[in-house]
Amino acid sequence: MLNELHIQNLGVIQEATAEFAGGLSVVTGETGAGKTMVISSLRLLSGHRADASRVRSGMDKAVVEGIFTTDSPAVGAMVDEVGGFMEDGEVIASRTVTAAGRSRAHLAGKTVAAGVLGEFSGHVITIHGQNDQLRLLDPARQLAALDQYAGLEDAVAAYRELRSQWKKLAKDLRTRLETRRELALESETLARAVETIDAIDPQPGEDEELKSQIQRLQDADDLRAAMQQALAAIDGAEDDMEAQGASELVAQAAAQLRGDDAQLQALAERLDEVAVLLSDISAEVGQALIDVPDPDSLEELLQRQQELRELRKYAVDVDGAIAWRDQARERLASIDVSGEAIEKLQEQVAEAWAAMIASAKKLSARRSKAASAFAAAVTEEIRGLHMSAEIRVEVTAQKISDSWEPASPAPGSRGIDEVEFQLVQGGNANPLASSASGGELSRVMLALEVVLAAGTEGGRTMVFDEVDAGVGGKAAVEIGRRLAKLAVDNQVIVVTHLPQVAAFADAHVYVAKSATDSTVSSSVVTLDEDARVEELSRMLAGLESETGRAHAEELVEMARKAKAELQD
């Protein structure tokens, strides 16, 4: 329940604190005093969008803080998750809105996202305003209301789990079917590429080796001439018998230095080493001369080089192309384009579909069975609110095949049913959305809350913003009676302008307005019994008078007796 609400710089309220107890609390005040700021504050604490225009003129920010008491395990888990603090079930939620439009939210002393406040408020408070009445016209909310009355929430959750499993399998199947075509194309492309590379049969490093060979062939004549001249210099020219080569001259020099002198002998030995080295070099140059490729093979090598260039579509060089081919072979081995896996998955999808549809049909049968009783209960309540009409609840089941087909339309998140609330007046049944006035919607919403609350454990905080709009007379008294009935097991907070409703309050909060030439401010006070009678008198007659006061006292006494009957 909501224990305390603190408001600072929100609208016309500069600073105010309202304390709430269990039972029925009403909020009243003159037009423009800022009663709706109480609802705006609670909506901010519920994570709704922050509106900078709500910040009091001239102020930097508005702050709203609420102190709640709850024993909800879900709330306890949320507080633990954000690392907050709560004691004896008491949780503090706050929201700050700056004049620039920025917003900050706090829960249990920790900064949180506004959405977290929304989740928190979903466990502790329900707000009914005129916009909420309009949302009552949404078929999805009407379906949810019927499910709540029939106690089908667990069954709906089980259905949703089956639907989630089917959707997951169906998505997997669709992806696999699409991928199957893509994999087949990929497999064909890879196989063709591997076949092309195998036909070329590249060898590691072949492109670089070819490049070197072609370069040597193109320079073959120059290479031969250079090597022949080098051999002539080392060994002497073959066509000139008198010309001496470097090897012979070195040998002669070594022979001249040999003798008894140790220093010259060492030099002779070094010349012998040079002679051996020249002999080795001469042999290698001679072999290189033999290995110079035949220029006639140049065309063949150029043709092979052109073949290898075909591999550039796969990699920048031959080694890269070979590596790509090896990876392609591995990929080909991993691609399964057989239909066995698809057929098995199709069977699983069909089984999941059948289970989902069976669950949906059970839900539909239970809804159809509960619809009449639900309609009768709501009708009884609205007639008690002096509304000469009847509520009908039409349940229409979508026609869906028991067996799955790829083109089958999928059922919704709550099953195969569509629910429509109808208002029957003068023998004519029309959708509630097109036939109910604002006052009638208010009464239907209140009737729904009374009927739905009867099947719950209670303990909620329920807030109604002018649920009595467009209502007066005896209907207003009955609205007060039903709000008091809701307040037996719940905390109910009502913003009202009707004294017939306010008379049923266990606590009366008054929003007082004070105005100067330049500003309007409001304060919030909890009225004692005498002040409460004075406020009811003002609400009845528009001014304080003995007649109005007597009427107010009579109204309070009537409400007290009615509440005593509810307690019994």
Side-chain angles (χ1 to χ4, degrees):
M1 61 177 285
L2 175 64
N3 297 328
E4 185 176 302
L5 181 65
H6 180 73
I7 306 170
Q8 183 178 6
N9 296 328
L10 188 69
V12 296
I13 299 179
Q14 184 172 6
E15 186 164 9
T17 299
E19 296 182 355
F20 298 93
L24 175 61
S25 297
V26 299
V27 180
T28 67
E30 297 180 12
T31 302
K35 299 187 297 297
T36 57
M37 289 301 102
V38 175
I39 303 300
S40 297
S41 299
L42 294 175
R43 289 192 184 279
L44 283 173
L45 293 181
S46 298
H48 286 222
R49 185 180 68 88
D51 186 354
S53 65
R54 295 287 190 180
V55 179
R56 183 175 172 83
S57 177
M59 297 294 107
D60 294 333
K61 62 183 179 180
V63 180
V64 178
E65 184 179 83
I67 302 176
F68 296 85
T69 300
T70 177
D71 58 0
S72 168
V75 171
M78 285 184 63
V79 172
D80 289 340
E81 185 175 349
V82 301
F85 176 78
M86 62 186 296
E87 183 177 2
D88 297 329
E90 190 172 87
V91 184
I92 300 177
S94 67
R95 189 86 177 272
T96 301
V97 182
T98 69
R102 291 187 293 272
S103 168
R104 284 190 176 182
H106 294 83
L107 178 65
K110 295 293 182 178
T111 301
V112 297
V116 175
L117 277 189
E119 184 180 351
F120 162 75
S121 66
H123 296 292
V124 298
I125 190 168
T126 303
I127 302 175
H128 297 289
Q130 294 181 358
N131 290 334
D132 302 283
Q133 294 171 17
L134 294 176
R135 285 196 288 271
L136 171 64
L137 305 180
D138 180 9
R141 289 184 175 248
Q142 294 177 0
L143 176 57
L146 175 58
D147 286 348
Q148 182 180 345
Y149 173 81
L152 296 179
E153 291 303 324
D154 289 343
V156 170
Y159 160 80
R160 282 178 169 167
E161 179 63 27
L162 292 173
R163 182 173 181 264
S164 177
Q165 293 174 7
W166 169 78
K167 288 182 67 177
K168 181 180 179 181
L169 289 169
K171 180 180 179 181
D172 188 15
L173 175 60
R174 183 171 61 253
T175 302
R176 290 287 293 275
L177 288 172
E178 294 172 354
T179 305
R180 186 184 185 186
R181 291 189 289 270
E182 295 173 359
L183 289 178
L185 178 60
E186 181 185 1
S187 177
E188 182 180 352
T189 302
L190 289 176
R192 199 161 39 233
V194 169
E195 183 179 348
T196 299
I197 297 174
D198 285 343
I200 295 174
D201 191 24
Q203 301 302 313
E206 184 180 0
D207 51 347
E208 292 298 326
E209 183 179 347
L210 267 178
K211 182 179 178 181
S212 176
Q213 290 179 358
I214 290 171
Q215 183 66 42
R216 293 189 73 196
L217 277 173
Q218 290 173 338
D219 300 334
D221 292 340
D222 294 339
L223 288 173
R224 281 193 183 91
M227 286 187 285
Q228 287 172 350
Q229 291 177 6
L231 285 174
I234 295 172
D235 297 331
E238 293 181 356
D239 56 355
D240 186 356
M241 300 300 294
E242 295 182 358
Q244 294 179 314
S247 296
E248 185 177 353
L249 292 174
V250 169
Q252 292 177 4
Q256 295 296 326
L257 296 175
R258 289 190 185 93
D260 295 334
D261 187 86
Q263 184 179 4
L264 295 180
Q265 181 62 32
L267 292 174
E269 292 174 359
R270 291 175 66 186
L271 285 173
D272 289 339
E273 293 174 1
V274 172
V276 173
L277 183 59
L278 284 172
S279 177
D280 291 342
I281 293 173
S282 174
E284 291 183 17
V285 172
Q287 183 62 46
L289 184 58
I290 296 172
D291 291 340
V292 172
D294 185 356
D296 293 339
S297 64
L298 178 59
E299 184 176 351
E300 182 181 342
L301 293 178
L302 288 173
Q303 184 177 353
R304 178 59 176 171
Q305 188 180 55
Q306 185 60 35
E307 289 179 355
L308 294 180
R309 284 175 178 165
E310 293 293 322
L311 302 178
R312 289 181 179 176
K313 64 179 72 174
Y314 309 111
V316 296
D317 56 21
V318 166
D319 289 350
I322 293 173
W324 186 91
R325 179 192 59 186
D326 294 341
Q327 293 174 358
R329 282 175 175 165
E330 293 179 3
R331 174 62 177 159
L332 278 170
S334 68
I335 294 177
D336 181 12
V337 293
S338 67
E340 295 179 1
I342 299 296
E343 291 176 0
K344 182 177 180 181
L345 188 53
Q346 286 175 329
E347 292 176 0
Q348 293 175 336
V349 171
E351 291 173 359
W353 173 274
M356 173 183 66
I357 296 302
S359 176
K361 288 187 173 182
K362 289 181 180 178
L363 267 176
S364 181
R366 294 176 66 180
R367 284 171 180 147
S368 297
K369 184 177 180 181
S372 297
F374 183 44
V378 177
T379 297
E380 182 180 355
E381 286 298 325
I382 64 172
R383 286 179 175 171
L385 293 169
H386 294 271
M387 188 172 167
S388 299
E390 176 187 347
I391 292 292
R392 287 183 187 172
V393 178
E394 292 292 329
V395 180
T396 305
Q398 182 183 4
K399 293 182 179 179
I400 294 184
S401 173
D402 292 339
S403 58
W404 173 78
E405 295 293 340
S408 299
S413 62
R414 297 189 77 92
I416 59 175
D417 296 320
E418 293 182 356
V419 169
E420 181 182 76
F421 288 1
Q422 296 179 347
L423 189 64
V424 183
Q425 293 176 311
N428 297 318
N430 295 294
L432 186 65
S434 61
S435 58
S437 65
E440 288 171 337
L441 276 179
S442 297
R443 282 179 276 182
V444 170
M445 171 171 278
L446 180 57
L448 281 173
E449 286 296 339
V450 171
V451 170
L452 295 176
T456 63
E457 296 180 357
R460 294 182 298 165
T461 295
M462 306 171 70
V463 181
F464 294 90
D465 182 16
E466 297 192 357
V467 70
D468 48 16
V471 179
K474 293 182 178 180
V477 174
E478 292 303 323
I479 286 178
R481 191 190 306 273
R482 277 154 180 77
L483 288 170
K485 182 178 180 180
L486 280 176
V488 172
D489 297 311
N490 301 278
Q491 181 188 39
V492 178
I493 300 171
V494 183
V495 176
T496 182
H497 65 281
L498 293 180
Q500 296 95 326
V501 173
F504 283 87
D506 297 302
H508 193 140
V509 176
Y510 178 65
V511 182
K513 178 175 67 174
S514 61
T516 66
D517 293 338
S518 58
T519 62
V520 175
S521 296
S522 293
S523 59
V524 179
V525 295
T526 301
L527 303 181
D528 59 22
E529 194 64 25
D530 288 340
R532 181 185 174 205
V533 172
E534 291 179 3
E535 169 61 5
L536 289 176
S537 175
R538 182 198 64 79
M539 295 173 70
L540 283 165
L543 50 84
E544 295 182 17
S545 66
E546 289 299 324
T547 302
R549 185 177 179 85
H551 192 181
E553 291 174 345
E554 182 182 354
L555 197 59
V556 169
E557 183 60 28
M558 177 275 300
R560 185 178 292 113
K561 291 180 179 179
K563 287 163 62 178
E565 293 175 1
L566 292 174
Q567 295 289 345
D568 295 338

